[in-house]
Amino acid sequence: GVFADVANKLGTSSPHVLRTLLRTLSAALRHGAVTYDPAFLVINPLRDGTSAFFREKLIPFSPDWFAGMMAAITHNELFSKAAQSGALLSGHVESMLSTKAMVRFAQKGAITVRTPLDALLVVPRLIQTGNIIAERGTRIAVFRKLRAQGIDGLETAVRSRDATVDFNKMGEIMQVVNDIVPFSSAAFQGSANALRTIKQNPKWAAAAAGIFITPVVLARVNNMRFETSNMIPDYEYSNYLVIQIGEFMRKDGTKAPIYIK
């Protein structure tokens, strides 16, 4: 249960030289795809919001959601309580920062520009800050919702971290795997959370899955209206929500699909 999840993080080990090297080599990929990626500012809240809805029934744009986002921005009393409980420091971006970097981030507050280097890095720093706020906001929203239900502090903190994905929760083997294959822990934790929700609350899981699946089914039915729908590659359907909007004629007289994803 909750205490087992906490205990899973209590083991300590010294990082091997090879692991340190692998982590360093993959740092550019990790930060480029997440920390400093402007697109992640859109993808991250959508992913976290979907996960929190499925895991803890947090409704996007609800009072709890807005309160969580506001707390992440203003560092108000709700933010302090969530931080003190241990509900934070588990996001994707935060997990890639060193302890010193997190201390500097906490102490800076508003982004300041004092040197030419600060001016050069202001955009990446804004993106980084936005990504951290987005990750924290969802967890704080779940924290607020669970606390209003009268759930005790430790369970609230653990469930708030697990509402999306707790990127700091992994054993020694998974740490090695994650250093070799970046983001593998995120994929594993996400799948584990989904399976845990299905086991603990199958009726809700089925209802929530129906909400997510319905747009996919409707899009596929829409596409089947066109003769060329079978020309859309399977990998497109695997990675995106594909909506065919028409067809066009090639120079050789054959038709091809026009679709958005």
Side-chain angles (χ1 to χ4, degrees), residues 38 52 70 98 102 116 121 156 163 191 208 225 231 237 243:
M70 185 59 65
S98 65
M102 283 306 304
L121 298 177
T156 298
S191 300
R225 297 184 299 121
M231 298 175 65
Y237 285 107
I243 302 175

Side-chain angles (χ1 to χ4, degrees), residues 64-128:
D64 286 324
W65 187 89
F66 278 112
M69 291 298 171
M70 185 59 65
I73 296 171
T74 63
H75 289 197
N76 57 16
E77 183 180 359
L78 175 60
F79 176 90
S80 298
K81 290 181 177 179
Q84 291 170 5
S85 75
L88 305 182
L89 297 176
S90 60
H92 210 155
V93 177
E94 289 177 301
S95 67
M96 292 187 290
L97 297 178
S98 65
T99 302
K100 290 183 179 180
M102 283 306 304
V103 171
R104 289 197 301 269
F105 180 84
Q107 291 175 341
K108 283 180 180 177
I111 292 178
T112 57
V113 178
R114 296 191 179 94
T115 66
L117 181 61
D118 288 342
L120 183 64
L121 298 177
V122 67
V123 173
R125 288 164 60 195
L126 283 170
I127 295 172
Q128 178 191 52

Side-chain angles (χ1 to χ4, degrees), residues 121-255:
L121 298 177
V122 67
V123 173
R125 288 164 60 195
L126 283 170
I127 295 172
Q128 178 191 52
T129 301
N131 279 319
I132 291 177
I133 288 173
E135 291 185 324
R136 286 176 170 178
T138 303
R139 290 173 174 80
I140 297 173
V142 174
F143 174 83
R144 182 179 187 267
K145 180 177 182 293
L146 296 177
R147 194 179 62 165
Q149 296 174 359
I151 299 174
D152 68 77
L154 177 60
E155 183 177 352
T156 298
V158 174
R159 287 175 61 178
S160 296
R161 294 168 70 113
D162 276 344
T164 54
V165 173
D166 185 350
F167 294 96
N168 280 325
K169 186 175 70 175
M170 65 181 86
E172 294 182 15
I173 294 177
M174 197 63 210
Q175 289 178 20
V176 176
V177 173
N178 198 59
D179 289 338
I180 299 173
V181 185
F183 312 119
S184 57
S185 176
F188 181 82
Q189 290 289 344
S191 300
N193 282 347
L195 292 174
R196 191 179 298 117
T197 301
I198 294 171
K199 179 181 178 181
Q200 294 173 345
N201 199 340
K203 291 183 179 179
W204 164 251
I211 295 174
F212 298 139
I213 292 173
T214 297
V216 178
V217 174
L218 292 177
R220 182 59 77 99
V221 172
N222 167 77
N223 296 351
M224 291 173 64
R225 297 184 299 121
F226 300 94
E227 295 179 359
T228 57
S229 63
N230 60 356
M231 298 175 65
I232 301 175
D234 290 337
Y235 66 81
E236 296 281 39
Y237 285 107
S238 298
N239 296 316
Y240 306 100
L241 177 65
V242 180
I243 302 175
Q244 185 169 352
I245 57 176
E247 298 172 318
F248 72 95
M249 191 72 69
R250 293 170 173 164
K251 292 183 179 180
D252 61 3
T254 61
K255 289 183 179 181

Side-chain angles (χ1 to χ4, degrees), residues 28-45:
L29 171 62
R30 295 171 188 271
H31 288 295
V34 176
T35 309
Y36 303 114
D37 182 6
F40 199 62
L41 287 169
V42 178
I43 297 170
N44 203 17

